[in-house]
Amino acid sequence: MLTRTFCLVRQLLWPARCAGCDGFVRDGTVFCDRCAESLMDVTTDRPALFDDVYATFAYGGAIKDAILRLKHGGRHDLAGPLGRLLASSLTAAAVGADAIVPVPLHPARLRRRGFNQALELARGAWRPGLPPIWVDPLRRARNTAPLGHEGHDERVRRVAGAFTVTSGLVRGCRLVLVDDVMTTGATLASCAVALEEAGAIEVRAAVLARVV
């Protein structure tokens, strides 16, 4: 009885809102009907340097708005709902994997933002039966400038050597990288190179959205 009363009070005081436009939605719903219509599926393929890449949506529409609100709009509360949308991609990518590795932020950027969106999405997507989330082995050693709208070659140049592995834990492991968006794949590829040089035998990637 108390639990039901609490839920009713919470719905009245803090009604659920759409992750894309902030409009009211039914409790447990991530997007309103209008924003949901803008969500686009994305075809999975196998780019260089990865054994597989799994993306839930094509980047655009409401999913783009929601990710930007999460990262730059102070909406840390969106990590859980968006993580649930990532769950299907993460589950598919994690078959036979030993661990899930969120793409790390540089400590300076982490202090400014207050959280790592890749880690929070991984936590929101994690389900019993999936491999553990490893935070420590992969580090961002260089604070690269925001990539913004840079092209592939410039992105590759900026993130080359930006990541380092600080533990022998990854040796012989099959790993799943997690990030919010895959644009050209340069950041994820730089992570994969660092992990493979440290002895990982397979690196896949799971992302909430992918630029197509």
Side-chain angles (χ1 to χ4, degrees):
M1 182 64 180
L2 288 176
T3 301
R4 182 181 179 185
T5 301
F6 173 78
C7 290
L8 291 173
V9 171
R10 183 174 64 83
Q11 289 173 7
L12 289 172
L13 297 179
W14 302 285
R17 292 181 176 272
C18 172
C21 69
D22 219 26
F24 294 112
V25 295
R26 297 183 303 278
D27 197 34
T29 302
V30 180
F31 293 106
C32 67
D33 291 343
R34 185 178 67 177
C35 285
E37 290 178 356
S38 72
L39 302 178
M40 299 171 287
D41 293 332
V42 60
T43 301
T44 300
D45 64 3
R46 182 175 296 183
L49 298 179
F50 298 101
D51 293 278
D52 275 302
V53 173
Y54 297 82
T56 307
F57 300 108
Y59 188 63
I63 200 68
K64 175 181 178 180
D65 294 338
I67 290 171
L68 292 176
R69 285 152 65 87
L70 168 65
K71 293 169 64 173
H72 307 300
R75 292 296 306 276
H76 189 180
D77 60 294
L78 295 178
L82 294 177
R84 292 196 298 271
L85 297 179
L86 173 65
S88 60
S89 294
L90 180 59
T91 299
V95 173
D98 298 294
I100 296 163
V101 181
V103 173
L105 291 179
H106 187 272
R109 189 171 298 180
L110 181 60
R111 286 192 296 270
R112 289 196 300 271
R113 185 170 296 169
F115 64 96
N116 176 4
Q117 73 279 355
L119 172 58
E120 297 306 316
L121 288 171
R123 285 172 171 165
W126 192 88
R127 299 292 183 270
L130 289 178
I133 298 172
W134 286 353
V135 177
D136 294 330
L138 184 64
R139 300 289 179 89
R140 194 161 195 145
R142 194 173 74 251
N143 191 11
T144 55
L147 299 179
H149 300 288
E150 300 293 348
H152 178 266
D153 291 346
E154 179 61 16
R155 284 172 176 267
V156 170
R157 187 188 69 79
R158 288 192 187 183
V159 298
F163 298 92
T164 185
V165 176
T166 61
S167 167
L169 196 62
V170 305
R171 184 171 298 279
C173 289
R174 292 177 170 84
L175 305 172
V176 179
L177 286 166
V178 171
D179 208 357
D180 55 338
V181 179
M182 178 178 175
T183 305
T184 65
T187 297
L188 288 165
S190 184
C191 291
V193 167
L195 291 168
E196 289 171 351
E197 288 179 347
I201 59 175
E202 186 176 355
V203 180
R204 309 167 194 162
V207 296
L208 181 59
R210 181 176 179 182
V211 175
V212 295

